[in-house]
Amino acid sequence: MTYDISVVWFRRDLRCFDHAALHAALKQSRRVHCAFVFDREILGGLPRRNDRRVEFIWLCVRELQEELARHGGGLQVLHGCAREEIPALAVRLKADAVFTNHDYEPAAVERDAAVGAALAREGRAFVTCKDQVIFEKDEVLTQDGRPFSVFTPYKNAWLKRLDGFFMQAYPVEKYFDRLAPPAGHEMPALQDIGFRPTNLSELGIPPGMSGARKLFANFKKRMADYHERRDFPALKGPSYLSVHLRFGTISIRALAREAWQAADRGAAVWLSELIWRDFYFMILHHHPRGVAARAFHPVYDALKFPNDENLFRAWCEARTGYPLVDAAMRQLNQTGYMHNRLRMVVASFLVKDLHVDWRWGEKYFADELNDFDLAANNGGWQWAASTGCDAQPYFRIFNPVTQSQKFDAEGKFIRKYVPELKDCDKKFIHAPWLMSAAQQAQAGVVIGRDYPAPVVDHAVARGVTLELYARAKGG
């Protein structure tokens, strides 16, 4: 099929290279317009007007607009309800087709169906492409044709199917001469869409395609050591690319290709993390009930969490009295980022020490994480709560003190985010309530005054957890 005029609708794919929908549109059309919508339906649901993600997106969109202009094109940046704005734009431009990339979240699937129907009523095509994953939906199945629900066999099947074809870059640059010139209207300011600047620049989070390239170039030098450094929050171990993957300023194909070709232990472990991402998107596609506040395993819908709101607030506000948990929550609250190992620790602590419903934590992360992604966030929380696919067994409960001793042995991460404890001896920094009065005086901190005493006893809480889960299973 060829078209005279087409529109490419950018969403969570804010780049103009190796872009499936842009490539398809340019290849199949005489002239291609590009558009992005600051969607009121999404923005209206955010709890704060100083949301780092909105500022990050705004900066990425601005860079995308400038980059398209360098190649003779433009980006029309709209503010409204996307399900209305995109069909209306297609009418104004007399477009024959709208191209975009797949989005697997249930609300996005419903929105895209509405946009497709509106376009069809006008005789216009709606073409969607796979872009944000290597394999999607039904592309990796069990031998009897069913979706996987356990990661390791999924990973093995994923790797068995992988070859260079699936990681090839889309040669968008070959067709840049088909980009339509800029429309001539100004991009709305951040304030025009109802948001305020944040501390994003102070945090050193580089936005846009240029920011993603910079981070990836740095990580490639460290990738071989990823498996040895990734679990230690005081070390520079992760790629820090999660927010860029979330908003598509870098291509998943480029990342997977680099890891696959490196063929060392660190690269293999990092590739496994990228496969987890595909896995959770596949789970979301086949089991959307999981994001409708339901457990992947229905038996755990019967869990009766006490849901003490004071304990939940203590967790949110980083005053649980467990230093690693509090340091992780302060990192999240101050920066919008949390180290992956610590996401597991704090999630386990909320559910299995404080006995608060995993959905409460899932929602808090959804509001606070710069890299919030529905599929991975839901999958991670259900893993920690032992309610999800391939989840941690409910009787395996992280001990927040031993996790701290193992992954922050010197207390460097704790001292950074919990400075009240900076002068504690490393022997006590993981459990400062064990210090005597004299030791507290020497460390310059009084437990219960300068830093909280533990809000729960881990050993007691563990027993309660086992009883809660056994009761839900009918044991």
Side-chain angles (χ1 to χ4, degrees), residues 41 51 66 74 131 160 163 173 206 233 293 322 350 361 381 417:
E41 290 188 52
D51 192 301
E66 293 168 352
D131 185 76
K160 185 176 181 180
D163 60 32
E173 300 80 3
Y322 285 86
L350 180 70
W381 273 95
Y417 286 101

Side-chain angles (χ1 to χ4, degrees), residues 17-20 23-24 129-131 168-173 253:
F17 63 92
D18 192 8
H19 188 289
H23 176 262
C129 307
K130 179 183 72 171
D131 185 76
Q168 288 180 12
Y170 288 97
V172 173
E173 300 80 3
R253 290 172 291 281

Side-chain angles (χ1 to χ4, degrees), residues 338-349:
M338 187 187 289
H339 187 277
N340 191 56
R341 162 60 58 175
L342 301 184
R343 297 186 195 202
M344 294 187 284
V345 171
V346 302
S348 176
F349 186 83

